[in-house]
Amino acid sequence: MSPEKMVTMANQIATFFDTQPGHAPDKIAAHLKDYWEPRMRDQLKSYLRAGGTGLRPSVQEAVQRL
């Protein structure tokens, strides 16, 4: 998947969970574990290690939990 699409998808998830009660990064991480296949999660981790440009802070924190 293109990095741009991956960032958009991850940020859309964060946009939802950032408005919900509870700790958003935990919920985002759980969602990614449940619905993203391992290759997608690995790509997201690599993207964050390379700087994570454009990822919302809650996504960045969530990726640390994967």
Side-chain angles (χ1 to χ4, degrees):
M1 150 181 348
S2 75
E4 295 82 12
K5 176 129 177 100
M6 177 187 60
V7 168
T8 298
M9 289 174 59
N11 285 341
Q12 286 174 334
I13 294 164
T15 298
F16 173 76
F17 285 114
D18 286 345
T19 64
Q20 302 300 306
H23 191 63
D26 290 337
K27 294 177 182 229
I28 295 165
H31 180 90
L32 295 174
K33 287 176 186 174
D34 288 344
Y35 297 105
W36 281 31
E37 66 177 45
R39 290 179 298 168
M40 292 170 67
R41 292 192 306 265
D42 289 343
Q43 182 182 3
L44 186 57
K45 289 180 212 176
S46 294
Y47 186 79
L48 182 59
R49 282 193 300 272
T53 303
L55 289 173
R56 294 173 63 106
S58 56
V59 173
Q60 293 180 21
E61 191 175 336
V63 172
Q64 301 297 327
R65 291 165 164 69
L66 297 178

